[in-house]
C-alpha cells in the first residue's frame, strides 16, 4: 500500500503511507531538536542568537516538511497547491511581522530609558530647607 492513489473525481493525488510516515518522523525530529536545544539552555555552547537561529531554521524546515509530505506540494502543478502555498506564506508573513511589530512597540513603550533611570538614581537630593 505504498503506492500513490489518484482521486478519479478531482484528479488530486493522495500520499502513500510511506510519505506520511516519513513526514511524521521528520516533523517529530525537528520538534525534538528545537525543544532539546531550548531545554539544554547553553550546555552545548549555543549562544542566545545561535539558539534563535536554530529554532527559526527548524521552524522553516518543519513548514517545508508539512507542505511537501502532507500537502503534496512537490507532487503536481495544480492551481490549488499554489494557492495553498501562497496563503501559507502570506499567513506566516502577517503573523511574524505583526508579532515583531507588537513586541518592538511594547519594548519601546514599557521599558524606560536606562540612561534616564541611572541619572535620576545618582543625583543627590537637595538638603531640606530650614524654617
Amino acid at each position: 500500500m505504498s503506492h500513490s492513489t489518484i482521486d478519479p473525481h478531482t484528479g488530486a493525488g493522495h500520499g502513500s503511507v510511506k510519505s506520511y510516515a516519513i513526514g511524521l518522523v521528520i516533523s517529530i525530529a525537528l520538534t525534538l531538536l528545537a525543544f532539546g536545544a531550548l531545554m539544554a539552555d547553553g550546555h552545548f555552547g549555543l549562544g542566545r542568537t545561535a539558539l534563535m537561529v536554530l529554532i527559526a531554521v527548524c521552524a522553516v524546515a518543519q513548514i517545508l516538511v508539512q507542505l511537501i509530505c502532507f500537502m503534496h506540494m512537490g507532487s503536481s502543478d495544480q492551481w490549488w497547491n499554489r494557492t495553498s502555498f501562497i496563503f501559507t506564506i502570506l499567513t506566516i508573513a502577517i503573523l511574524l511581522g505583526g508579532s515583531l511589530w507588537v513586541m518592538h512597540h511594547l519594548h519601546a513603550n514599557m521599558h524606560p530609558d536606562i540612561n534616564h533611570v541611572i541619572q535620576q538614581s545618582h543625583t543627590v537630593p537637595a538638603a531640606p530647607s530650614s524654617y
Side-chain angles (χ1 to χ4, degrees):
M1 243 211 199
S2 67
H3 61 85
S4 224
T5 59
I6 296 180
D7 186 1
H9 300 292
T10 63
H14 297 284
S16 64
V17 174
K18 181 180 178 182
S19 71
Y20 288 132
I22 290 171
L24 178 66
V25 169
I26 293 172
S27 295
I28 290 171
L30 288 169
T31 301
L32 290 176
L33 176 65
F35 181 73
L38 182 65
M39 293 306 291
D41 196 26
H43 293 298
F44 297 110
L46 286 177
R48 183 178 179 147
T49 304
L51 180 63
M52 288 184 179
V53 168
L54 176 68
I55 291 173
V57 167
C58 285
V60 170
Q62 182 84 265
I63 290 169
L64 292 175
V65 167
Q66 299 288 325
L67 289 173
I68 292 169
C69 292
F70 300 122
M71 293 184 67
H72 315 295
M73 291 298 245
S75 63
S76 64
D77 190 36
Q78 296 176 355
W79 177 83
W80 186 249
N81 283 342
R82 282 192 306 270
T83 304
S84 297
F85 182 71
I86 291 169
F87 177 74
T88 301
I89 296 301
L90 182 63
T91 303
I92 290 169
I94 290 171
L95 286 173
L96 185 63
S99 297
L100 291 174
W101 179 66
V102 167
M103 287 188 290
H104 170 73
H105 284 283
L106 282 175
H107 177 74
N109 293 325
M110 298 290 285
H111 295 292
D113 183 22
I114 191 69
N115 293 327
H116 180 68
V117 172
I118 291 172
Q119 287 174 355
Q120 283 184 346
S121 66
H122 286 22
T123 57
V124 178
S129 61
S130 55
Y131 293 99

